């Protein structure tokens, strides 16, 4: 019974969520994490038009060691060159993905 109530409450509250969020991963190592500035806006536009998502048009930027990463269900990494993570960033990314976060 409690599960049914929780499920109904979750579904009801999800009706009031207006937009999903995507973030761009700002990493260290000398790679150009800011490369291809149109890739995420194009993905967002396509998704919103074709699969009825409501992703915010402007993606956020988040660092791999930041607790803010948990605010974004989808994190996108792009660029060329080296990508380096500290031990703390690796642990944070692992926790993020083990908690259901997705990094592409």
């Amino acid at each position: 019974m409690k599960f049914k109530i929780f499920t109904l409450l979750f579904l009801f509250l999800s009706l009031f969520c207006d937009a999903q969020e995507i973030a761009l991963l700002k990493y260290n190592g000398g790679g150009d994490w800011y490369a291809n500035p149109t890739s995420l806006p194009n993905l967002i536009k396509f998704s919103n038009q074709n699969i009825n998502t409501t992703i915010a048009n402007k993606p956020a930027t988040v660092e791999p060691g930041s607790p803010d990463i948990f605010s974004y269900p989808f994190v996108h990494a792009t660029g060329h060159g080296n990508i380096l993570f500290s031990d703390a960033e690796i642990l944070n990314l692992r926790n993020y993905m083990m908690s259901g976060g997705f990094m592409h």
Side-chain angles (χ1 to χ4, degrees):
M1 181 67 178
K2 285 184 181 182
F3 180 75
K4 287 182 182 180
I5 292 171
F6 176 77
T7 303
L8 289 174
L9 180 62
F10 177 78
L11 291 173
F12 177 74
L13 292 175
S14 67
L15 294 174
F16 297 100
C17 296
D18 292 331
Q20 297 97 27
E21 298 290 331
I22 290 179
L24 177 63
L25 189 68
K26 180 181 178 183
Y27 54 83
N28 292 311
D32 53 350
W33 61 268
Y34 46 82
N36 200 0
T38 60
S39 64
L40 276 181
N42 287 341
L43 175 64
I44 291 167
K45 182 178 178 182
F46 179 86
S47 297
N48 287 344
Q49 288 177 348
N50 293 288
I51 59 173
N52 298 321
T53 56
T54 55
I55 303 169
N57 291 326
K58 185 176 180 193
T61 301
V62 68
E63 296 183 9
S66 172
D68 294 338
I69 199 167
F70 291 90
S71 299
Y72 306 100
F74 185 100
V75 174
H76 182 76
T78 189
H80 308 90
N82 297 323
I83 299 176
L84 298 178
F85 299 124
S86 69
D87 289 342
E89 290 171 334
I90 291 169
L91 181 59
N92 198 50
L93 284 170
R94 180 184 187 282
N95 290 335
Y96 167 73
M97 288 187 257
M98 294 297 291
S99 299
F102 180 82
M103 186 169 80
H104 174 265

